[in-house]
Amino acid sequence: HAKRMIQYNYDNGLRIILPHLQLALKLMGSAEDAFMTFCGISEDDFFQQEWHRKGGKTSKLIGHTTRLYLAIMRGDMALGERIYEMGKMYHKGGILFIGSIMRAFLGGLVAFATARYHGDNEKEMIRVAEESISTIKIWAKHSYWNFANKLFLLEAEYWFLNGNEKLARRKFGDSIAAAA
């Protein structure tokens, strides 16, 4: 798809697809670099250019969300918390954009993990986590098959954080069943 976008000079599409392609490569453990292959620049240079490009909000959102996802998949919640904080500037406004929806889910996971350690911002992280649950509940009402597993996972984290391991276990099971 990226090659076709280059052939047809569809730069906006390329800006949207490259971060996802790079994320997939990283998750597979590949050393390939989609940004270097298709743009001749590094990932950091790509996002630096997007930062300065007028109207590049979509690419910034996607780039931020993929970096947050990668931090979580690698189990680095401290990095995830930093990325979440840095991304606040990109995610102002409605929840209709897919990056904002994923940020609600991923931000909730990071917030619960961070709140467990009772740091200085524990109350703020609990607020973020509860807000994430509220957002995903709305989406689960509209698309149960797509969001129920995410909702149950966040609810499991909520109950675990609040000391109800029995209900947390049930919600973790519900999440697995809904994802299957």
Side-chain angles (χ1 to χ4, degrees):
H1 293 306
K3 286 180 184 178
R4 288 274 186 228
M5 289 177 187
I6 290 170
Q7 287 174 338
Y8 293 109
N9 292 321
Y10 185 47
D11 292 340
N12 287 338
L14 190 62
R15 286 185 182 97
I16 291 169
I17 199 171
L18 276 182
H20 293 100
L21 178 57
Q22 186 63 33
L23 175 64
L25 290 169
K26 285 180 180 178
L27 290 173
M28 292 186 311
S30 174
E32 290 182 61
D33 186 336
F35 294 98
M36 193 58 73
T37 300
F38 293 105
C39 297
I41 59 175
S42 71
E43 181 176 2
D44 288 339
D45 288 343
F46 175 85
F47 286 111
Q48 191 69 276
Q49 284 181 6
E50 287 300 302
W51 178 256
H52 295 292
R53 187 175 74 81
K54 186 177 180 180
K57 184 178 180 187
T58 300
S59 299
K60 293 171 197 170
L61 267 164
I62 292 170
H64 168 262
T65 303
T66 56
R67 287 177 174 187
L68 179 60
Y69 183 78
L70 189 58
I72 291 169
M73 291 302 291
R74 290 182 172 162
D76 190 344
M77 292 303 185
L79 176 60
E81 182 182 5
R82 288 194 307 276
I83 292 171
Y84 181 85
E85 289 298 319
M86 289 185 319
K88 285 181 178 178
M89 69 183 88
Y90 306 133
H91 293 271
K92 295 186 175 21
I95 59 171
L96 297 177
F97 185 71
I98 189 67
S100 297
I101 297 166
M102 287 307 297
R103 178 177 163 80
F105 173 63
L106 299 173
L109 292 177
V110 168
F112 279 120
T114 303
R116 276 192 212 125
Y117 300 106
H118 309 292
D120 296 338
N121 61 349
E122 178 182 3
K123 287 182 182 177
E124 170 64 10
M125 289 294 101
I126 290 171
R127 185 198 64 72
V128 167
E130 289 172 345
E131 192 175 283
S132 295
I133 289 174
S134 296
T135 299
I136 299 301
K137 267 186 188 174
I138 292 167
W139 283 96
K141 286 179 187 174
H142 296 287
S143 182
Y144 186 83
W145 69 271
N146 196 17
F147 291 98
N149 64 320
K150 296 166 185 67
L151 175 61
F152 295 145
L153 181 58
L154 290 171
E155 289 175 338
E157 291 289 345
Y158 174 85
W159 290 115
F160 183 79
L161 180 67
N162 287 292
N164 189 335
E165 290 185 29
K166 183 177 180 180
L167 190 51
R169 254 184 269 130
R170 192 180 102 222
K171 290 290 184 175
F172 278 123
D174 291 346
S175 178
I176 292 167

